[in-house]
Short mmCIF file of all heavy atoms in Angstrom, two decimals:
data_model
loop_
_atom_site.label_atom_id
_atom_site.label_comp_id
_atom_site.label_asym_id
_atom_site.label_seq_id
_atom_site.Cartn_x
_atom_site.Cartn_y
_atom_site.Cartn_z
N PHE A 22 85.90 -12.32 -6.61
CA PHE A 22 86.23 -13.76 -6.44
C PHE A 22 86.39 -13.98 -4.77
O PHE A 22 87.15 -13.39 -4.16
CB PHE A 22 87.60 -14.09 -6.99
CG PHE A 22 88.11 -15.50 -6.90
CD1 PHE A 22 87.29 -16.47 -7.59
CD2 PHE A 22 89.18 -15.83 -6.14
CE1 PHE A 22 87.68 -17.76 -7.47
CE2 PHE A 22 89.43 -17.29 -6.04
CZ PHE A 22 88.78 -18.12 -6.71
N GLY A 23 85.50 -14.92 -4.43
CA GLY A 23 85.53 -15.20 -2.90
C GLY A 23 86.67 -16.08 -2.62
O GLY A 23 87.00 -17.01 -3.39
N THR A 24 87.17 -15.99 -1.35
CA THR A 24 88.38 -16.79 -0.98
C THR A 24 88.29 -17.46 0.42
O THR A 24 89.22 -18.04 0.86
CB THR A 24 89.62 -15.99 -0.95
OG1 THR A 24 89.65 -15.10 0.12
CG2 THR A 24 89.86 -15.34 -2.38
N TRP A 25 86.99 -17.47 0.97
CA TRP A 25 86.84 -18.19 2.27
C TRP A 25 87.08 -19.64 2.02
O TRP A 25 86.67 -20.22 1.03
CB TRP A 25 85.35 -17.95 2.81
CG TRP A 25 85.07 -18.67 4.01
CD1 TRP A 25 86.01 -18.86 5.13
CD2 TRP A 25 83.89 -19.32 4.36
NE1 TRP A 25 85.30 -19.59 6.19
CE2 TRP A 25 84.13 -19.79 5.75
CE3 TRP A 25 82.75 -19.55 3.74
CZ2 TRP A 25 83.03 -20.53 6.36
CZ3 TRP A 25 81.71 -20.28 4.33
CH2 TRP A 25 81.91 -20.73 5.64
N GLN A 26 88.03 -20.27 2.93
CA GLN A 26 88.21 -21.70 2.74
C GLN A 26 89.21 -22.00 1.68
O GLN A 26 89.37 -23.16 1.29
CB GLN A 26 87.10 -22.58 2.80
CG GLN A 26 86.20 -22.44 4.05
CD GLN A 26 84.87 -23.18 4.02
OE1 GLN A 26 84.24 -23.31 2.87
NE2 GLN A 26 84.50 -23.77 5.10
N ASP A 48 88.03 -11.02 -2.92
CA ASP A 48 87.57 -10.79 -1.35
C ASP A 48 88.23 -11.74 -0.42
O ASP A 48 88.11 -12.90 -0.43
CB ASP A 48 85.95 -11.21 -1.46
CG ASP A 48 85.40 -10.90 0.00
OD1 ASP A 48 85.08 -9.71 0.17
OD2 ASP A 48 85.13 -11.85 0.67
N THR A 49 88.95 -11.00 0.51
CA THR A 49 89.63 -11.84 1.54
C THR A 49 89.17 -11.24 3.02
O THR A 49 88.25 -10.49 2.99
CB THR A 49 91.13 -11.88 1.39
OG1 THR A 49 91.74 -12.65 2.45
CG2 THR A 49 91.72 -10.49 1.34
N TYR A 53 90.16 -15.26 7.18
CA TYR A 53 90.36 -16.41 6.28
C TYR A 53 91.81 -16.94 6.23
O TYR A 53 91.95 -18.00 5.72
CB TYR A 53 90.03 -15.99 4.79
CG TYR A 53 88.58 -15.47 4.65
CD1 TYR A 53 88.22 -14.76 3.46
CD2 TYR A 53 87.75 -15.66 5.62
CE1 TYR A 53 86.90 -14.42 3.23
CE2 TYR A 53 86.43 -15.18 5.41
CZ TYR A 53 86.00 -14.51 4.24
OH TYR A 53 84.79 -14.12 4.05
N LYS A 78 88.71 -7.77 5.78
CA LYS A 78 87.81 -7.45 6.86
C LYS A 78 88.37 -7.64 8.20
O LYS A 78 89.28 -8.42 8.33
CB LYS A 78 86.65 -8.54 6.58
CG LYS A 78 86.11 -8.67 5.24
CD LYS A 78 84.85 -9.57 5.18
CE LYS A 78 84.51 -9.92 3.77
NZ LYS A 78 85.29 -11.10 3.24
N HIS A 109 83.78 -7.17 9.82
CA HIS A 109 83.28 -8.47 9.42
C HIS A 109 81.85 -8.67 10.10
O HIS A 109 81.00 -9.17 9.32
CB HIS A 109 84.30 -9.47 9.79
CG HIS A 109 84.23 -10.67 8.88
ND1 HIS A 109 85.39 -11.32 8.49
CD2 HIS A 109 83.24 -11.31 8.33
CE1 HIS A 109 85.13 -12.37 7.82
NE2 HIS A 109 83.85 -12.36 7.60
N TRP A 110 81.70 -8.55 11.36
CA TRP A 110 80.50 -8.49 12.06
C TRP A 110 80.40 -7.28 13.00
O TRP A 110 81.33 -7.04 13.61
CB TRP A 110 80.36 -9.63 12.95
CG TRP A 110 80.20 -10.97 12.16
CD1 TRP A 110 79.02 -11.56 11.62
CD2 TRP A 110 81.21 -12.01 11.89
NE1 TRP A 110 79.26 -12.64 11.00
CE2 TRP A 110 80.60 -12.99 11.16
CE3 TRP A 110 82.57 -12.02 12.14
CZ2 TRP A 110 81.28 -14.11 10.66
CZ3 TRP A 110 83.31 -13.10 11.61
CH2 TRP A 110 82.60 -14.07 10.86
N SER A 140 79.94 -5.62 7.11
CA SER A 140 79.31 -6.92 6.63
C SER A 140 78.41 -7.41 7.67
O SER A 140 78.66 -7.17 8.89
CB SER A 140 80.54 -7.77 6.38
OG SER A 140 80.05 -9.07 5.94
N ASN A 141 77.53 -8.22 7.36
CA ASN A 141 76.48 -8.75 8.34
C ASN A 141 75.89 -7.71 9.22
O ASN A 141 75.62 -8.06 10.43
CB ASN A 141 77.33 -9.81 9.10
CG ASN A 141 77.90 -10.99 8.24
OD1 ASN A 141 77.09 -11.63 7.49
ND2 ASN A 141 79.15 -11.35 8.31
N GLN A 162 78.28 -6.23 3.20
CA GLN A 162 78.38 -7.52 2.56
C GLN A 162 77.42 -8.50 3.32
O GLN A 162 77.82 -8.71 4.54
CB GLN A 162 79.81 -7.86 2.56
CG GLN A 162 80.08 -9.21 1.83
CD GLN A 162 81.33 -9.80 1.83
OE1 GLN A 162 81.88 -10.84 2.43
NE2 GLN A 162 82.46 -9.08 1.17
N ILE A 163 76.47 -8.99 2.73
CA ILE A 163 75.58 -9.99 3.41
C ILE A 163 75.18 -11.18 2.61
O ILE A 163 75.51 -11.12 1.40
CB ILE A 163 74.12 -9.28 3.82
CG1 ILE A 163 73.52 -8.71 2.55
CG2 ILE A 163 74.35 -8.13 4.88
CD1 ILE A 163 72.16 -8.14 2.67
N GLY A 187 76.66 -9.33 -2.16
CA GLY A 187 76.08 -10.67 -1.72
C GLY A 187 77.12 -11.65 -1.56
O GLY A 187 77.95 -11.77 -2.40
N TYR A 188 77.10 -12.47 -0.39
CA TYR A 188 78.00 -13.64 -0.31
C TYR A 188 77.21 -14.88 -0.22
O TYR A 188 76.02 -14.90 -0.12
CB TYR A 188 79.03 -13.42 0.90
CG TYR A 188 78.42 -13.51 2.32
CD1 TYR A 188 78.01 -14.82 2.79
CD2 TYR A 188 78.45 -12.49 3.10
CE1 TYR A 188 77.56 -14.95 4.14
CE2 TYR A 188 77.97 -12.66 4.43
CZ TYR A 188 77.58 -13.86 4.91
OH TYR A 188 77.17 -13.95 6.29
N SER A 189 77.96 -16.01 -0.45
CA SER A 189 77.41 -17.31 -0.61
C SER A 189 76.24 -17.37 -1.64
O SER A 189 75.26 -17.99 -1.33
CB SER A 189 77.03 -17.77 0.82
OG SER A 189 78.07 -17.89 1.79
N PRO A 190 76.66 -16.84 -2.75
CA PRO A 190 75.42 -16.91 -3.74
C PRO A 190 75.11 -18.30 -4.22
O PRO A 190 73.95 -18.57 -4.59
CB PRO A 190 76.07 -16.10 -4.97
CG PRO A 190 77.51 -16.33 -4.82
CD PRO A 190 77.76 -16.30 -3.26
N LEU A 191 76.12 -19.20 -4.21
CA LEU A 191 75.82 -20.54 -4.74
C LEU A 191 75.50 -21.48 -3.72
O LEU A 191 74.54 -22.31 -3.79
CB LEU A 191 76.98 -20.98 -5.62
CG LEU A 191 77.48 -20.15 -6.74
CD1 LEU A 191 78.81 -20.58 -7.32
CD2 LEU A 191 76.33 -20.14 -7.83
N ARG A 192 76.16 -21.33 -2.57
CA ARG A 192 75.91 -22.25 -1.46
C ARG A 192 74.56 -22.17 -0.89
O ARG A 192 74.01 -23.22 -0.38
CB ARG A 192 76.84 -21.77 -0.33
CG ARG A 192 77.20 -22.74 0.77
CD ARG A 192 77.90 -22.03 1.88
NE ARG A 192 79.41 -21.76 1.47
CZ ARG A 192 80.31 -22.63 1.47
NH1 ARG A 192 79.92 -23.94 1.85
NH2 ARG A 192 81.59 -22.41 1.27
N THR A 193 73.85 -21.06 -1.00
CA THR A 193 72.47 -20.79 -0.54
C THR A 193 71.44 -21.03 -1.65
O THR A 193 70.21 -20.68 -1.52
CB THR A 193 72.26 -19.45 0.09
OG1 THR A 193 72.59 -18.49 -0.98
CG2 THR A 193 73.24 -19.22 1.13
N LEU A 196 70.63 -25.34 -7.05
CA LEU A 196 70.86 -25.19 -8.53
C LEU A 196 70.10 -26.13 -9.43
O LEU A 196 70.12 -26.02 -10.71
CB LEU A 196 72.43 -25.38 -8.72
CG LEU A 196 73.25 -24.33 -8.09
CD1 LEU A 196 74.75 -24.74 -8.19
CD2 LEU A 196 73.05 -22.95 -8.70
N SER A 211 74.81 -22.23 -17.48
CA SER A 211 74.36 -23.15 -16.32
C SER A 211 73.43 -22.36 -15.26
O SER A 211 73.54 -21.18 -15.19
CB SER A 211 75.68 -23.62 -15.62
OG SER A 211 76.23 -22.47 -14.96
N ALA A 213 74.12 -21.87 -12.21
CA ALA A 213 74.95 -21.09 -11.43
C ALA A 213 75.31 -19.80 -12.16
O ALA A 213 75.35 -18.73 -11.53
CB ALA A 213 76.31 -21.85 -11.19
N ILE A 228 80.27 -12.43 -5.19
CA ILE A 228 81.69 -12.99 -4.97
C ILE A 228 81.78 -14.43 -4.86
O ILE A 228 82.22 -14.94 -3.81
CB ILE A 228 82.30 -12.14 -3.75
CG1 ILE A 228 81.34 -12.27 -2.53
CG2 ILE A 228 82.70 -10.85 -4.07
CD1 ILE A 228 81.99 -11.76 -1.38
N PRO A 229 81.49 -15.23 -5.95
CA PRO A 229 81.60 -16.61 -5.89
C PRO A 229 82.92 -17.14 -5.62
O PRO A 229 83.94 -16.52 -6.03
CB PRO A 229 81.06 -17.05 -7.30
CG PRO A 229 81.45 -15.91 -8.15
CD PRO A 229 81.22 -14.64 -7.33
N LYS A 230 83.02 -18.23 -4.72
CA LYS A 230 84.33 -18.84 -4.49
C LYS A 230 84.32 -20.22 -5.22
O LYS A 230 83.38 -20.90 -5.24
CB LYS A 230 84.43 -19.08 -3.08
CG LYS A 230 85.50 -19.91 -2.45
CD LYS A 230 85.13 -21.22 -2.26
CE LYS A 230 86.18 -22.18 -1.84
NZ LYS A 230 85.94 -23.73 -1.82
N SER A 231 85.41 -20.56 -5.70
CA SER A 231 85.68 -21.92 -6.16
C SER A 231 87.20 -22.12 -6.15
O SER A 231 88.13 -21.24 -6.32
CB SER A 231 85.23 -22.24 -7.54
OG SER A 231 85.53 -23.49 -7.91
N VAL A 232 87.66 -23.34 -5.90
CA VAL A 232 89.08 -23.70 -6.08
C VAL A 232 89.21 -24.71 -7.28
O VAL A 232 90.21 -25.20 -7.55
CB VAL A 232 89.67 -24.49 -4.87
CG1 VAL A 232 89.73 -23.35 -3.62
CG2 VAL A 232 88.90 -25.61 -4.36
N THR A 233 88.16 -24.84 -8.02
CA THR A 233 88.00 -25.72 -9.19
C THR A 233 88.29 -24.84 -10.53
O THR A 233 87.36 -24.02 -10.77
CB THR A 233 86.66 -26.50 -9.24
OG1 THR A 233 86.42 -27.01 -7.92
CG2 THR A 233 86.67 -27.57 -10.34
N ARG A 236 85.24 -24.32 -12.63
CA ARG A 236 84.17 -23.56 -12.12
C ARG A 236 84.58 -22.07 -12.00
O ARG A 236 83.87 -21.02 -12.22
CB ARG A 236 83.85 -24.03 -10.73
CG ARG A 236 83.01 -25.30 -10.88
CD ARG A 236 83.01 -25.84 -9.42
NE ARG A 236 81.89 -26.88 -9.36
CZ ARG A 236 81.87 -27.64 -8.19
NH1 ARG A 236 82.42 -27.24 -7.11
NH2 ARG A 236 80.95 -28.50 -8.23
N ALA A 239 83.95 -20.66 -15.42
CA ALA A 239 82.60 -20.52 -15.67
C ALA A 239 81.89 -19.42 -15.00
O ALA A 239 81.04 -18.71 -15.50
CB ALA A 239 82.03 -21.93 -15.44
N ASN A 240 82.32 -19.25 -13.73
CA ASN A 240 81.67 -18.27 -12.84
C ASN A 240 81.91 -16.82 -13.28
O ASN A 240 81.20 -15.88 -13.00
CB ASN A 240 82.04 -18.47 -11.50
CG ASN A 240 81.46 -19.73 -10.85
OD1 ASN A 240 80.57 -20.47 -11.49
ND2 ASN A 240 82.03 -20.12 -9.60
N1 NAP B 301 81.25 -11.59 5.11
C1 NAP B 301 81.00 -12.81 5.57
O1 NAP B 301 80.67 -13.06 6.77
C2 NAP B 301 81.15 -14.00 4.52
C3 NAP B 301 80.64 -15.16 4.81
C4 NAP B 301 80.65 -16.25 3.89
C5 NAP B 301 81.36 -15.93 2.64
N2 NAP B 301 81.92 -14.65 2.41
C6 NAP B 301 82.50 -14.42 1.16
O2 NAP B 301 81.87 -14.74 0.07
C7 NAP B 301 82.49 -15.76 -0.74
C8 NAP B 301 81.46 -16.71 -1.40
O3 NAP B 301 80.71 -17.34 -0.52
P1 NAP B 301 80.90 -18.90 -0.07
O4 NAP B 301 82.35 -19.39 -0.25
O5 NAP B 301 80.25 -19.20 1.17
O6 NAP B 301 79.96 -19.65 -1.05
P2 NAP B 301 79.61 -19.75 -2.64
O7 NAP B 301 80.66 -18.99 -3.48
O8 NAP B 301 78.21 -19.41 -2.98
O9 NAP B 301 79.92 -21.31 -3.02
C9 NAP B 301 81.07 -21.79 -2.88
C10 NAP B 301 80.92 -23.39 -2.96
O10 NAP B 301 80.23 -23.68 -4.35
C11 NAP B 301 81.10 -24.46 -4.98
N3 NAP B 301 80.90 -23.98 -6.43
C12 NAP B 301 81.75 -22.87 -6.96
N4 NAP B 301 81.19 -22.70 -8.16
C13 NAP B 301 80.31 -23.58 -8.55
C14 NAP B 301 79.46 -23.77 -9.63
N5 NAP B 301 79.63 -23.21 -10.77
N6 NAP B 301 78.61 -25.01 -9.61
C15 NAP B 301 78.37 -25.64 -8.49
N7 NAP B 301 79.23 -25.41 -7.24
C16 NAP B 301 80.16 -24.35 -7.38
C17 NAP B 301 82.45 -24.31 -4.53
O11 NAP B 301 83.12 -25.54 -4.71
P3 NAP B 301 84.68 -25.63 -5.17
O12 NAP B 301 85.46 -24.51 -4.42
O13 NAP B 301 85.09 -26.97 -4.66
O14 NAP B 301 84.74 -25.57 -6.59
C18 NAP B 301 82.19 -24.15 -3.00
O15 NAP B 301 81.89 -25.32 -2.30
C19 NAP B 301 83.41 -16.29 0.29
O16 NAP B 301 84.35 -17.16 -0.28
C20 NAP B 301 83.92 -15.24 1.05
O17 NAP B 301 84.89 -14.39 0.19
C21 NAP B 301 81.79 -13.57 3.36
#
Side-chain angles (χ1 to χ4, degrees):
F22 184 68
T24 69
W25 178 41
Q26 297 175 323
D48 182 78
T49 182
Y53 301 168
K78 315 185 191 84
H109 210 144
W110 290 277
S140 177
N141 298 305
Q162 185 184 113
I163 56 175
Y188 71 69
S189 301
L191 304 172
R192 200 187 286 281
T193 59
L196 293 175
S211 70
I228 47 173
K230 170 265 177 186
S231 177
V232 292
T233 313
R236 287 173 169 178
N240 293 345

